[in-house]
Amino acid sequence: MPATILVGAQWGDEGKGRAVDWLASSANIVARYSGGDNAGHTVFVRNQLFKLHLLPSGILHQQTLGLLGSGMVINPLRLVEELDQLAGMGVHITPERLAISTRAHIITPAHIALDGASEKALGSQAIGTTQRGIGPAYIDKASRRGIRAGEMADVENFAEALEAALERGSRALKNMALEPLPAHAQVAAYVHAAKRLSPYLRDTVQLINEALSRGGQVLCEGAQGTLLDLDHGSYPFVTSSSATAGGALTGLGFGPKYVERVVGVAKAFSTRVGGGPLPTELSGALGDRLRGTGENFWDEFGTTTGRPRRCGWLDGVMLRYAAAVNGLTELIVTKLDILTGFDELKIAVGYKVGGQRYDYPPATLAELEHAQPVYESFSGWRDDVRRARDFGDLPRAARDYVRRIGEICATPVRAVSVGPEREQLVLL
Ligand code: IMP
């Protein structure tokens, strides 16, 4: 049973890039299964900072084949840009190292324009999307009029399909009393990108199933997080794809019989970008302290959009829910070092909504918006934890905090990150 699924257990930005980097060292294939370039994974290796949006972060391990799965929506221009950026840093990704599913869908300039337009139309109720065209691309997929990546192999047909999609997008923009797209918007650039990417197109379903049946190790790299999942997140403040463990199976096209581990990644506190409920949100000095100033790459500012993230205490209710939705077999807790120096720490273990106690998050937005966290308090610690490599190296208060996280979601904590470097990981 050689597949491992790695998922974000919160609202994205949990530090999955770090966790993938660790797990990918023993993988043959690392595969993204959902979303697109709305993701932003930061990996710091050998003094170089890699910011990846479409490519799986595990591709930085030389022995892996990176795979962009059928459940993804891909902007070809951004993918070419990312490949060029990596090449500029000395990492050359040849078609032997990357497979793009012919079944994945293409994000067009119309999707991007419509994403911006629909956010504008929502006004104060805006989702706060990354404006990468993700939602509109999945709308076209569900409406059975999307363009699939496999179409890039025949550039003439691809250009025709793109022109038709742009015309449709322009009509939709006009209906919203907005400017239509410029004629032939970026068609030439898309055709150029299609030629560049064609050698990477593969039947990834066959590829992954053959690898799994031979006992190959496949790491499924989740993007976003459980609470941004279209079905299981805080709807409508979610992304438009299946970011949870189930999405790995549908997004890549293999069966549950191969899944051995489902690893959840959770930050030691909560963050969220964009709108929507965040029951443990902290305003003022505590929130600012968790966020950092933005001077360091690990501070809480979006990798994709640069937006400051909203910050708060760890939400154990959401984590318990994430453990259930994904069937987590283990948890990796990240950024424990950021909590050093607080006198007191808190974890939400339940909610109160109108006098009723909840152990799982309520499903409706109205209830969630009124949820009052029930907190447990913990002593903080002052010792620097960044050099810890064994659990026993951590101060007692930090160990108590980590243990309690595992208890709350009934999932063993396997590793804790205590800094941005590859080796700043405490294995339990
Ligand atoms: P979209 O995925 O761009 O449609 O955005 C929908 C929601 O998901 C917004 O609240 C975004 O901020 C959030 N989101 C999408 N991708 C990420 C991510 O990789 N990390 C954190 N939040 C994300």
Side-chain angles (χ1 to χ4, degrees):
M1 292 196 293
T4 296
I5 302 174
L6 184 122
V7 287
Q10 295 162 316
W11 287 271
D13 310 315
E14 297 92 348
K16 293 183 291 297
R18 276 295 305 289
V20 170
D21 183 56
W22 175 50
L23 292 168
S25 57
S26 55
N28 306 108
I29 295 179
V30 276
R32 280 271 315 262
Y33 57 83
S34 66
D37 63 316
N38 47 350
H41 292 168
T42 312
V43 194
F44 191 62
V45 190
R46 276 176 269 114
N47 289 328
Q48 288 203 90
L49 185 65
F50 293 90
K51 283 188 179 176
L52 301 176
H53 298 282
L54 275 165
L55 293 169
S57 4
I59 204 162
L60 297 173
H61 284 268
Q62 281 299 324
Q63 89 289 354
T64 58
L65 171 78
L67 190 150
L68 302 182
S70 312
M72 288 187 71
V73 285
I74 297 172
N75 178 332
L77 302 188
R78 305 277 300 189
L79 182 52
V80 167
E81 216 175 86
E82 204 159 300
L83 290 170
D84 287 346
Q85 243 169 46
L86 279 188
M89 294 172 91
V91 182
H92 297 275
I93 307 290
T94 60
E96 288 70 47
R97 299 250 7 250
L98 176 69
I100 304 171
S101 171
T102 47
R103 295 177 174 89
H105 277 248
I106 294 293
I107 293 183
T108 70
H111 294 143
I112 296 168
L114 287 166
D115 196 356
S118 86
E119 283 287 273
K120 217 172 185 179
L122 283 169
S124 64
Q125 299 304 306
I127 308 296
T129 73
T130 58
Q131 311 242 347
R132 296 293 190 268
I134 305 293
Y138 280 113
I139 290 173
D140 272 355
K141 173 179 168 174
S143 306
R144 295 159 293 187
R145 59 180 184 214
I147 303 174
R148 300 220 285 183
E151 295 189 45
M152 291 195 291
D154 177 345
V155 283
E156 272 173 31
N157 279 342
F158 179 64
E160 259 176 43
L162 193 58
E163 292 277 12
L166 296 178
E167 261 179 50
R168 221 175 30 242
S170 280
R171 280 199 300 276
L173 288 165
K174 273 196 221 155
N175 287 343
M176 296 168 87
L178 293 167
E179 281 290 302
L181 292 157
H184 318 297
Q186 294 188 306
V187 172
Y190 267 65
V191 165
H192 182 70
K195 287 182 184 157
R196 276 276 310 271
L197 297 175
S198 284
Y200 296 88
L201 293 169
R202 300 278 287 275
D203 183 336
T204 56
V205 174
Q206 182 176 355
L207 192 156
I208 214 163
N209 278 280
E210 286 179 356
L212 285 165
S213 65
R214 283 194 308 268
Q217 297 288 322
V218 176
L219 177 61
C220 310
E221 188 176 319
Q224 290 80 48
T226 302
L227 305 167
L228 291 174
D229 180 273
L230 181 59
D231 293 296
H232 304 291
S234 42
Y235 191 89
F237 292 97
V238 292
T239 190
S240 302
S241 67
S242 298
T244 41
L249 305 182
T250 54
L252 292 171
F254 69 88
K257 68 178 179 179
Y258 288 118
V259 180
E260 184 176 40
R261 299 167 71 188
V262 184
V263 182
V265 185
K267 221 176 264 187
F269 49 97
S270 298
T271 66
R272 174 168 204 164
V273 261
L278 181 62
T280 60
E281 185 163 10
L282 290 166
S283 52
L286 286 174
D288 290 345
R289 182 155 166 201
L290 288 171
R291 186 176 306 108
T293 56
E295 283 162 43
N296 306 304
F297 73 82
W298 57 82
D299 288 343
E300 296 297 347
F301 291 79
T303 312
T304 301
T305 58
R307 291 178 290 178
R309 295 179 187 140
R310 299 154 64 196
C311 296
W313 296 125
L314 183 66
D315 191 332
V317 184
M318 293 292 185
L319 218 48
R320 191 181 285 134
Y321 174 70
V325 166
N326 295 294
L328 296 185
T329 59
E330 57 212 274
L331 198 63
I332 298 178
V333 176
T334 60
K335 293 190 111 174
L336 189 73
D337 52 304
I338 301 298
L339 297 184
T340 300
F342 280 83
D343 292 329
E344 183 195 27
L345 299 167
K346 292 184 182 181
I347 300 180
V349 291
Y351 295 152
K352 281 254 166 79
V353 187
Q356 195 187 329
R357 161 101 186 196
Y358 285 78
D359 293 322
Y360 270 50
T364 69
L365 201 57
E367 288 169 301
L368 210 46
E369 273 168 349
H370 291 103
Q372 293 297 320
V374 178
Y375 284 116
E376 269 181 23
S377 291
F378 299 80
S379 311
W381 58 88
R382 304 223 158 259
D383 300 348
D384 189 356
V385 297
R386 288 175 297 180
R387 290 221 175 86
R389 296 294 176 269
D390 289 315
F391 195 54
D393 297 339
L394 292 173
R396 189 191 168 139
R399 280 182 278 149
D400 288 347
Y401 185 79
V402 170
R403 274 202 206 97
R404 188 68 186 121
I405 295 173
E407 281 167 15
I408 289 167
C409 55
T411 306
V413 178
R414 283 271 181 264
V416 180
S417 84
V418 290
E421 301 278 353
R422 208 176 229 181
E423 61 277 8
Q424 286 181 298
L425 202 64
V426 173
L427 301 181
L428 272 74

